[in-house]
């Protein structure tokens, strides 16, 4: 955790050697990211307590305020067939632009949220092959409430939308993108990750060419119409977020 937040190791070999051999105290932890997150700093300090007798247990650390706060902020992972069906139907109703941004953002989920969604995928992928067929999806969603107008045919439509590469099956990333929280416009880190996936030359703007490269032609044309009407033919990050809000 310390290395991820600071890009450095917490202690030098020199410091550790003197601590073990001479009993010298270890130097205080440093790092701008930790200084801005006092709860994270306390969590790391508890993990790195040199005396195992005073070091917090794994159970205690899971209840730490820093972990508990982040867990509370997460949008609940679907836990029933109805919840899963609602999330998948919502994904299928989004524009191809929004679905493409979710595919880009899902690779940047935090560890806790990713683990929750990974566990959900494993419950569906009972054969552990790394993909889900439309038939398997239909079996899983069999207990979900059935639409009075469409019956269970919506499952086939969802499977078709999720299978973005037309392989006849839904892979891990496609499934996670569909069941994650779709409102990435309210989460700056994920929205920025998606924006960077479109900003191919990293100049801080998404051009018409970049949109056409990332999206299928018919989808790019729809987005371009909105871009040309309101954003002078290219998108800043704020423009990009505005389009995300439109779904």
């Amino acid at each position: 955790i310390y290395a991820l937040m600071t890009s450095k190791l917490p202690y030098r070999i020199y410091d550790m050697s003197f601590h073990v051999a001479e009993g010298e105290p270890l130097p205080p932890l440093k790092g701008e990211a930790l200084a801005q997150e006092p709860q994270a700093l306390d969590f790391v300090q508890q993990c790195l307590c040199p005396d195992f007798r005073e070091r917090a247990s794994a159970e205690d650390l899971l209840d730490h305020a820093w972990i508990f706060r982040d867990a509370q902020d997460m949008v609940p992972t679907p836990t029933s067939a109805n919840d899963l069906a609602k999330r998948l139907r919502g994904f299928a109703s989004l524009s191809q632009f929004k679905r493409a941004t979710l595919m880009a953002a899902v690779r940047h989920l935090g560890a806790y949220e990713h683990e929750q969604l990974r566990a959900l995928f494993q419950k569906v992928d009972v054969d552990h092959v790394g993909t889900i067929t439309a038939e398997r999806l239909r079996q899983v969603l069999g207990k979900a409430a059935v639409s009075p107008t469409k019956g269970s045919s919506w499952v086939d439509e969802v499977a078709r939308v999720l299978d973005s590469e037309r392989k006849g099956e839904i892979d891990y990333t496609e499934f996670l993108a569909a069941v994650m929280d779709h409102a990435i416009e309210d989460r700056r880190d994920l929205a920025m990750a998606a924006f960077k996936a479109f900003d191919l030359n990293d100049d801080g703007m998404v051009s018409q060419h970049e949109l056409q490269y990332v999206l299928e032609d018919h989808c790019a044309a729809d987005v371009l119409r909105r871009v040309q009407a309101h954003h002078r033919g290219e998108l800043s990050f704020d423009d990009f977020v505005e389009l995300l809000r439109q779904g």
Side-chain angles (χ1 to χ4, degrees):
I1 293 173
Y2 182 90
L4 286 172
M5 295 187 72
T6 66
S7 300
K8 299 178 181 178
L9 294 175
Y11 304 117
R12 299 175 300 171
I13 295 295
Y14 175 87
D15 298 323
M16 296 174 63
S17 298
F18 264 78
H19 172 71
V20 173
E22 306 293 340
E24 291 291 328
L26 291 168
L29 296 175
K30 299 178 181 179
E32 183 179 346
L34 285 173
Q36 297 174 358
E37 283 277 0
Q39 289 183 339
L41 174 59
D42 181 70
F43 180 85
V44 172
Q45 286 175 330
Q46 291 192 37
C47 291
L48 297 177
C49 178
D51 190 337
F52 73 91
R53 293 167 296 186
E54 298 178 5
R55 191 180 305 140
S57 67
E59 184 177 359
D60 290 336
L61 289 169
L62 286 173
D63 289 330
H64 190 278
W66 185 56
I67 298 294
F68 189 69
R69 179 202 67 187
D70 287 347
Q72 284 185 314
D73 290 342
M74 294 297 178
V75 174
T77 300
T79 55
S80 69
N82 282 338
D83 290 342
L84 180 58
K86 183 177 180 181
R87 191 70 64 88
L88 292 176
R89 279 196 291 254
F91 182 81
S93 68
L94 296 173
S95 68
Q96 189 175 347
F97 168 71
K98 183 65 175 284
R99 296 199 300 267
T101 63
L102 290 170
M103 285 286 290
V106 73
R107 296 175 172 84
H108 300 271
L109 291 175
Y112 178 87
E113 189 173 6
H114 183 272
E115 175 59 24
Q116 296 296 305
L117 297 179
R118 184 196 65 79
L120 177 60
F121 179 82
Q122 287 190 322
K123 289 181 180 179
V124 180
D125 178 26
V126 292
D127 296 325
H128 306 296
V129 296
T131 58
I132 300 168
T133 64
E135 179 58 32
R136 175 56 189 160
L137 192 63
R138 191 180 297 107
Q139 292 172 1
V140 171
L141 299 175
K143 296 181 180 179
V146 177
S147 166
T149 56
K150 292 187 176 181
S152 60
S153 62
W154 67 270
V155 178
D156 294 321
E157 174 61 17
V158 166
R160 185 191 65 79
V161 170
L162 265 62
D163 180 17
S164 59
E165 297 181 2
R166 303 295 183 265
K167 305 182 300 293
E169 54 193 12
I170 303 158
D171 68 23
Y172 180 73
T173 302
E174 290 167 337
F175 181 85
L176 262 60
V179 298
M180 69 180 284
D181 174 26
H182 298 160
I184 60 172
E185 59 271 18
D186 296 327
R187 300 173 62 177
R188 183 179 178 83
D189 58 332
L190 295 182
M192 180 59 74
F195 179 79
K196 287 182 176 297
F198 281 76
D199 181 16
L200 301 175
N201 64 0
D202 198 28
D203 66 349
M205 302 293 287
V206 176
S207 67
Q208 296 183 25
H209 172 73
E210 288 169 327
L211 280 171
Q212 290 173 318
Y213 184 86
V214 176
L215 301 173
E216 293 182 7
D217 289 343
H218 67 279
C219 176
D222 175 61
V223 175
L224 286 170
R225 280 193 292 271
R226 287 185 279 172
V227 172
Q228 291 167 341
H230 303 290
H231 304 294
R232 303 172 305 283
E234 60 181 6
L235 296 174
S236 67
F237 176 67
D238 289 339
D239 298 331
F240 188 84
V241 171
E242 181 183 332
L243 283 178
L244 287 177
R245 293 192 186 285
Q246 297 176 20

